[in-house]
Structure formats: C-alpha cells, structure tokens
Amino acid sequence: MPSDKTISRLSLYRRLLGQLQEQRVRHVYSHQLAALAGVSAAQARRDVMEVGYNGSPQHGYDVETLAQSIGAILDVPGGGVEAVALVGLGNLGRAIVPYFRQRHPRLAIVATFDADPQKTDRVMHGTRCYPMERLQEVVRAQGVRVGIIAVPAGSAQDVAYNLISAGVRGILNFAPVPLKLPPGVYCENIDMTVALEKVAYFARGMK
Amino acid sequence: MPSDKTISRLSLYRRLLGQLQEQRVRHVYSHQLAALAGVSAAQARRDVMEVGYNGSPQHGYDVETLAQSIGAILDVPGGGVEAVALVGLGNLGRAIVPYFRQRHPRLAIVATFDADPQKTDRVMHGTRCYPMERLQEVVRAQGVRVGIIAVPAGSAQDVAYNLISAGVRGILNFAPVPLKLPPGVYCENIDMTVALEKVAYFARGMK
DNA sequence: TAGATTGTTAATCGATTAACAATC
DNA sequence: TAGATTGTTAATCGATTAACAATC
C-alpha cells in the first residue's frame, strides 16, 4: 500500500495531466511532471513507478495512459461514484458543497447534516440537508463510507462517533480538534487556523 | 529554528491549553498533553522543550506559563496584531473571513480582493473588498506580510507574484495548484480536493 | 548509433521514538 | 523518602535523494 504522501502526489499528478490533455500534449518526461508538481524528478519517477505503468526512454510517459493508470489506483473500481456525507453547514460547510461539486464529479456529496432546524429539510446546491438525528439512518441507507466534518470543535468527536457507527471509514476533519478514532478508520485533518498561524510564524522569519 | 511540524503542534498545544485554562486546570503532564493532541508523549516532551520553559517532575507543566511561552514563539513580538490579506471572494473566500475572525483575533484579515466588480468596494464581515488592481498598493500601505490565496487555479500564480512584489513573505494557498515561489517566501498549501481524494482512497482499503 | 530517460538500488537525511539518569 | 515525571541522548524508522546500469 502506497504511503499517504504518495497518494497525495498521485492525485496532484492526475490533475496536472488533465490540464495537459486539454492542451493535447502526448508525452511528458519525469522532470517535466516534477516541475509542474513542485517535487524532485526522483520523487516523480518513484511515484509513477507505483502505478505500474511503464514509460519508455524515448518518449517518457504517455499522458493519457498515465492518467488512466493513476485513476485505476485512486478511483472507486468499476467507474462508479463515491458517496460522501458532509456534517455541519456553517460558513465553511456551505462553501464546501459547491467547491467539491465543481471539482470532483466522482466524489459526490449526497447528503448534508446540521443541528440547526432552520437549515434542515431543505435542498442546497442540489443536496438535501437532514437533521442531525437522522445521520446514522441516512448514512447507512446511502452506503456512505466517507464523511466530512465541518462542525464546531465541541461536537466533532460525537459526530465522528456517529459517522463511524453508521459505516464511515474515512473522515476529512475541518474541526480544529484532533479526533480519537478506532483502528480501521482513516482521518485527514485540515486545521486552517494552525496553517495560518504557521504561515505567519515563518513569514516573520523571512528577510 | 523549529521545523514546520513542530510549529503546527505548538499551535495546537496552545489552543488545547486554552481550553484547559477555561476549566481552571493548573498543571498538565506531558502524557496528558500528548493524549489531547493525539501525539506520543515523547513528541510532546520534545516540543515543550523547544519553547524553553521548564516543567518540574512534581507538577509537570504550569498550564498558563506554558501557554505564554508558546505565545512568545508563535505571536508577533510586542503583543500586536498581524495584518493578513485575502485574495478571492468565491464560496471559499467568503467562508474564510468569518472563520478566522472568530478563531484568531491576533491574525486579522484587514483587506480582501476580488476581480469581480460586483464584489469590490463593499464591506463584508467588517473587511473592505478592493478591486484586484489595487492589490499591491493596499498591501504595501497596510504593511501586510501574510496572504491567503483563494482564487481559481488559473490566476493563483499571478496573485502570488503580486502579493510577493508588495512585500508578502508568507502565503496560505487554497488554489489547487502548486505555486512557483522565490526563496524567502514561505508557503503552505491546503488542497481540499487532494485531501478528500486521499480519504476516499484509504477508506476503501479499510475493513 | 548516440544520448536522454527510465527502472532500481544504495546512501542520505530528518523526524520520531525508546531509553535512562537526573530531579523534585 | 519513593516514585512519577522531566530533560536529553542514542536507536529506530521512514521517506527522499543520489547514482547508475539498462533501455529504446
């Protein structure tokens, strides 16, 4: 199994290859791919090796074939669409729905949840918002295995527990608090406050 | 200079310590801090050592003093507020303003910018939105050294160049594309699409 | 062919953890 | 004091890079 850093880079490579395809570029060399993605050429070579598609010393990598090979690893088998649930429709949650809709048609947010009755039982950006009480029922019914948490820090752990009970095995957590999770659940944290504080810190040390 | 991972954890520790202070907890042990932050006890000890405040074998770390010591590293010297500029008021950009306003009073978004004339020259969440043409002028005038990029991938590189020309030395980049930056500029990328794709991939491999 | 590029191994680098004497 | 915890070094681990023969 590739490391999570490798998967991140593969995902990025595919997106960049997609842009090249639009410009009808046939072949790409590892150092070109590396420059686009901002990694070393050695890194790009190692990553491409992981997908099992071999390039040639003459032409490098065929753009379309490489993108397909990456897809074979990253996408759900059979060409289907993966169902995703989003919990929390605050400022951030409301921004996330159209963001992913636009950018990733194969990862579809099929349901959203919020504790505020004013937001529930309405359709927003084509996705229905359910009350928090129905979370487990809906997640189970739709076969959701990926959840996005965009609730305040105080309720994030509870939400995570409910998602996992209902069958979710991967969580993208925007709540600014680390989650305690059982083994067998993968979690990726995006802590924007920490990120900004880090940028401010290092910016201070620059020139 | 601490590594960027260390800084991330220090930022997280401080937030967690703040929650403990509200509950009037006086002392914390490294293994307790580690459990809260989801890291190993060894990690927490090493990180705390970096701030230069020494604990005691009897009482562990004094919560308030430790938080202050972390602040001495992370915050702008003199107790001031750091000015931040946000470029791009799409779905994500509009969510970011109130998000940071609420969570981090010492990092203040003092100006926003957008290319759409319908959005500019208005005040949103207490922050004025300027047209893109005035970016360098306003950033220079306000002494901004930290920028947040939330524009489409196609214009992100241009925006980064303009920010840097105007004196910005740290960038938080939400645009789904790696930026080419000169030395002396620190950049942190938050690529939500990559993050979600990664979560979906690993969720598939779970049980 | 000649030469740039690929696949693959060895060397390097950095971060994390384990271990333990010193401490209150 | 006794014992849990701290400060600090050595060992481990994993990821990244450098190097180079094989290839078309």
Side-chain angles (χ1 to χ4, degrees):
Chain A
M1 171 114 66
S3 78
D4 63 346
K5 294 195 178 181
T6 305
I7 294 296
S8 292
R9 289 188 301 255
L10 289 178
S11 168
L12 180 58
Y13 296 151
R14 176 165 66 170
R15 192 161 63 210
L16 296 167
L17 290 173
Q19 292 169 12
L20 290 178
Q21 267 181 349
E22 287 167 17
Q23 296 163 33
R24 308 198 181 211
V25 174
R26 286 278 180 84
H27 301 286
V28 65
Y29 297 117
S30 58
H31 64 88
Q32 293 172 330
L33 188 61
L36 285 171
V39 302
S40 73
Q43 189 65 268
R45 274 217 299 274
R46 247 176 45 94
D47 290 335
V48 168
M49 267 180 50
E50 289 255 14
V51 307
Y53 162 66
N54 284 3
S56 87
Q58 279 181 322
H59 302 298
Y61 305 98
D62 178 68
V63 165
E64 199 170 345
T65 315
L66 178 54
Q68 281 169 6
S69 302
I70 294 175
I73 288 186
L74 292 186
D75 291 330
V76 56
V81 172
E82 183 110 35
V84 178
L86 166 68
V87 190
L89 284 177
N91 288 309
L92 191 58
R94 282 195 300 273
I96 287 172
V97 177
Y99 186 90
F100 283 123
R101 171 127 322 165
Q102 220 174 23
R103 281 169 186 76
H104 211 303
R106 302 192 62 174
L107 291 171
I109 297 179
V110 297
T112 65
F113 300 90
D114 202 283
D116 180 355
Q118 297 223 322
K119 290 175 185 158
T120 55
D121 294 317
R122 291 162 53 173
V123 173
M124 201 193 61
H125 300 289
T127 305
R128 176 144 175 221
C129 179
Y130 296 91
M132 207 62 101
E133 296 77 35
R134 295 188 59 193
L135 193 151
Q136 294 208 22
E137 166 209 339
V138 176
V139 164
R140 236 183 284 262
Q142 305 243 17
V144 171
R145 290 178 56 90
V146 174
I148 305 174
I149 296 182
V151 299
S155 40
Q157 183 64 57
D158 267 356
V159 168
Y161 173 78
N162 283 327
L163 284 171
I164 294 165
S165 297
V168 162
R169 288 296 169 265
I171 291 178
L172 181 57
N173 177 38
F174 285 94
V177 63
L179 300 175
K180 293 178 204 345
L181 301 172
V185 177
Y186 180 87
C187 180
E188 180 85 7
N189 293 295
I190 295 187
D191 192 326
M192 306 199 314
T193 307
V194 163
L196 185 61
E197 197 159 44
K198 204 202 293 188
V199 170
Y201 171 82
F202 286 106
R204 231 169 280 138
M206 295 291 180
K207 210 195 58 219
Chain B
M1 173 112 66
S3 78
D4 63 347
K5 294 194 177 181
T6 305
I7 293 296
S8 292
R9 289 188 302 253
L10 289 178
S11 169
L12 181 58
Y13 296 151
R14 176 164 66 170
R15 194 162 60 210
L16 296 168
L17 291 173
Q19 291 169 12
L20 290 179
Q21 268 181 350
E22 288 167 17
Q23 296 161 33
R24 307 196 180 213
V25 174
R26 286 279 180 83
H27 302 286
V28 65
Y29 296 117
S30 58
H31 63 89
Q32 293 172 332
L33 188 61
L36 285 171
V39 302
S40 73
Q43 189 65 270
R45 276 218 297 276
R46 247 176 45 93
D47 289 337
V48 169
M49 267 181 50
E50 289 254 16
V51 307
Y53 162 65
N54 284 3
S56 87
Q58 278 181 323
H59 302 297
Y61 305 98
D62 178 68
V63 166
E64 197 170 346
T65 315
L66 178 54
Q68 282 170 6
S69 302
I70 294 175
I73 288 185
L74 292 186
D75 291 330
V76 57
V81 171
E82 184 110 35
V84 178
L86 166 68
V87 189
L89 283 179
N91 288 309
L92 190 58
R94 282 195 302 273
I96 286 172
V97 177
Y99 186 91
F100 283 124
R101 170 127 322 160
Q102 221 174 22
R103 280 169 186 77
H104 211 303
R106 303 192 62 174
L107 292 171
I109 297 178
V110 297
T112 65
F113 300 90
D114 202 283
D116 180 354
Q118 297 223 324
K119 290 175 187 159
T120 55
D121 294 318
R122 290 163 54 172
V123 173
M124 202 195 61
H125 299 288
T127 305
R128 177 146 173 219
C129 178
Y130 296 90
M132 208 62 102
E133 296 78 33
R134 295 188 60 193
L135 194 151
Q136 295 210 21
E137 167 210 338
V138 175
V139 164
R140 236 183 285 262
Q142 305 242 18
V144 171
R145 289 179 54 90
V146 174
I148 304 174
I149 296 182
V151 300
S155 40
Q157 184 65 57
D158 268 357
V159 167
Y161 174 79
N162 283 327
L163 285 171
I164 295 166
S165 297
V168 163
R169 287 296 169 267
I171 291 177
L172 180 58
N173 178 38
F174 285 94
V177 62
L179 300 175
K180 293 178 204 342
L181 301 172
V185 177
Y186 180 86
C187 180
E188 180 84 8
N189 293 296
I190 294 186
D191 193 326
M192 306 198 314
T193 308
V194 163
L196 185 62
E197 198 159 43
K198 204 202 293 186
V199 169
Y201 171 82
F202 285 106
R204 231 169 282 138
M206 295 292 179
K207 209 193 62 221

